[in-house]
Amino acid sequence: MTTAQHDPRPLFRSALEWAGDLFAGVRPEQMTDPTPCPEFDVRTLLGHLASTVDRGRVIGMGGDVHSVPEVLSSPDDAWPGTLDAVTTRYWEVWDDDALLDRPVTAPWGTFPGRAAVLVSLNEVLVHGWDLAVSTRQDPEADPALARAAHEIMERALPASPRGGEVPFGPVVDSTPDAGPTERLANWCGRVTAPWMRPGDA
């Protein structure tokens, strides 16, 4: 077991810090722009990312994730504060070391708590990439963080089967110049095109 798998919380802290910077960089006029998630525009993607963190808190508490809406609501100018608030509540639960080995239950099964943190890590990084490319921000998290998450997901999420009960699209071939976060998103089925990188015309 790698250090990241033994305690993935430092990775998740870093991912949440990156997401916080992305939330702060969204401009008001971008809220209704489309994203690589066809079911979300920018505003609802912000709400879904915040919900992912809050649902992770509920899982750690042994509660029902459906008590938290899939998409949280917030005034458009308050999204960074909303993410900060759910992040603070998350760590009030997950700072407990014993949770890493305690069985927790989510809609996709029962497993050790560390696995729940890894699921949340992947969700925040991939949806963070979605948010970054759709708002023309830097789509790359810290390379070491993204590479560690990708290594974990290659084992946790095989290339097949996909679809049906495995809610991920087929693996997308990465372009030669793709960064580590983009490669993670591609592994999870995200197509880079037609999403332009920051600075593209």
Side-chain angles (χ1 to χ4, degrees):
M1 180 181 293
T2 67
T3 300
Q5 288 173 298
H6 179 67
D7 187 353
R9 292 174 301 179
L11 292 178
F12 193 42
R13 287 185 189 276
S14 295
L16 288 170
E17 290 173 2
W18 178 62
D21 291 340
L22 294 176
F23 271 51
V26 176
R27 300 191 304 273
E29 66 271 18
Q30 295 175 318
M31 288 293 174
T32 57
D33 286 353
T35 75
C37 298
E39 66 269 37
F40 299 131
D41 61 11
V42 169
R43 180 182 290 113
T44 51
L45 180 57
L46 291 166
H48 180 65
L49 264 164
S51 172
T52 293
V53 180
D54 210 30
R55 285 185 164 199
R57 170 188 64 85
V58 172
I59 288 171
M61 293 173 61
D64 179 5
V65 296
H66 297 104
S67 64
V68 178
E70 185 180 359
V71 176
L72 296 183
S73 299
S74 174
D76 285 348
D77 62 354
W79 279 114
T82 297
L83 182 63
D84 285 346
V86 297
T87 297
T88 297
R89 292 197 297 267
Y90 180 93
W91 292 119
E92 287 172 355
V93 174
W94 283 95
D95 273 339
D96 180 2
D97 293 344
L99 262 183
L100 293 178
D101 294 312
R102 187 179 302 158
V104 296
T105 299
W108 51 90
T110 298
F111 37 75
R114 73 186 74 252
V117 179
L118 290 172
V119 170
S120 295
L121 168 66
N122 186 67
E123 283 280 299
V124 167
L125 284 176
V126 174
H127 281 312
W129 182 87
D130 293 334
L131 179 63
V133 297
S134 56
T135 57
R136 303 297 186 265
Q137 299 188 67
D138 184 352
E140 288 297 322
D142 176 80
L145 167 63
R147 289 190 188 102
H150 192 178
E151 179 183 342
I152 292 165
M153 289 309 296
E154 282 188 332
R155 291 193 294 270
L157 176 65
S160 64
R162 296 286 181 95
E165 294 184 359
V166 182
F168 293 86
V171 174
V172 173
D173 291 333
S174 299
T175 61
D177 63 341
T181 309
E182 184 175 332
R183 291 179 182 276
L184 170 63
N186 293 155
W187 182 261
C188 293
R190 292 293 192 272
V191 178
T192 302
W195 303 100
M196 296 184 296
R197 294 176 176 82
D200 288 350

